[in-house]
Amino acid sequence: MIDGTFDISVDTPKLHRRGTISLKSEGDSIAAVLNVGEDLRDEHFEGACSDREFTFEGAGDYPGVGQIDYKAKGSIWGNSLDLDIESSVGKIIIFGTRIGGSAGANVSSHDSMMRASRADFSYDDGAMYSGLFSDSF
């Protein structure tokens, strides 16, 4: 299932940031709302989706950066989100974990594996990330 809100890490050619993205699919269309830092609040995108994969394409004028053309391709694997963006400012990678979910295997379809391994894929906002993220785009 694509729909949901994800805690994300954004890796751009110049910096790393954290935020959220909300995805809502309807048929073969998808809408996204991106919130990253103060400059990118409630940024709306529309694209296409199929099963667990989705795409966005377009252009926008972003504060501090200027005009950016982009093509994005993403997928959802259980509660994990991966999104690769080719843009006029370089490659942007977004990855994240569904809020209220655990990363890794889809528990509903891999329940016996999860019970057997007792794996903990939960999101950790620990010290490993300290100092890597900036509040400006």
Short mmCIF file of all heavy atoms in Angstrom, two decimals, residues 16 45 58 61 98 104 120:
data_model
loop_
_atom_site.label_atom_id
_atom_site.label_comp_id
_atom_site.label_asym_id
_atom_site.label_seq_id
_atom_site.Cartn_x
_atom_site.Cartn_y
_atom_site.Cartn_z
N HIS A 16 21.97 17.51 3.77
CA HIS A 16 21.05 16.48 4.23
C HIS A 16 19.98 17.15 5.07
O HIS A 16 20.31 18.01 5.89
CB HIS A 16 21.77 15.43 5.07
CG HIS A 16 22.94 14.82 4.38
ND1 HIS A 16 22.81 13.87 3.41
CD2 HIS A 16 24.26 15.06 4.49
CE1 HIS A 16 24.01 13.53 2.97
NE2 HIS A 16 24.91 14.25 3.62
N PHE A 45 2.77 17.74 -5.00
CA PHE A 45 3.19 17.11 -6.24
C PHE A 45 2.10 16.13 -6.67
O PHE A 45 1.44 15.53 -5.84
CB PHE A 45 4.50 16.33 -6.04
CG PHE A 45 5.64 17.19 -5.58
CD1 PHE A 45 5.91 17.34 -4.23
CD2 PHE A 45 6.44 17.84 -6.50
CE1 PHE A 45 6.96 18.13 -3.80
CE2 PHE A 45 7.49 18.63 -6.09
CZ PHE A 45 7.76 18.78 -4.74
N GLY A 58 8.27 17.29 -13.20
CA GLY A 58 7.86 18.69 -13.27
C GLY A 58 9.00 19.65 -13.05
O GLY A 58 10.17 19.31 -13.20
N ASP A 61 10.05 26.51 -8.62
CA ASP A 61 10.96 27.56 -8.18
C ASP A 61 11.07 27.45 -6.66
O ASP A 61 10.06 27.60 -5.96
CB ASP A 61 10.43 28.94 -8.59
CG ASP A 61 11.46 30.03 -8.36
OD1 ASP A 61 12.67 29.73 -8.37
OD2 ASP A 61 11.04 31.19 -8.20
N ARG A 98 7.43 4.64 7.21
CA ARG A 98 6.04 5.01 7.46
C ARG A 98 5.86 5.34 8.95
O ARG A 98 6.30 4.60 9.82
CB ARG A 98 5.12 3.85 7.07
CG ARG A 98 3.65 4.17 7.13
CD ARG A 98 2.79 2.96 6.78
NE ARG A 98 3.20 2.27 5.57
CZ ARG A 98 2.75 2.56 4.34
NH1 ARG A 98 1.89 3.53 4.17
NH2 ARG A 98 3.18 1.86 3.31
N GLY A 104 11.45 -2.11 6.69
CA GLY A 104 11.82 -3.46 6.31
C GLY A 104 10.65 -4.23 5.78
O GLY A 104 9.87 -3.74 4.99
N ASP A 120 13.85 -6.13 14.80
CA ASP A 120 13.33 -4.81 15.14
C ASP A 120 13.84 -3.82 14.12
O ASP A 120 15.00 -3.46 14.12
CB ASP A 120 13.77 -4.40 16.55
CG ASP A 120 13.27 -3.01 16.92
OD1 ASP A 120 12.40 -2.47 16.20
OD2 ASP A 120 13.77 -2.46 17.92
#
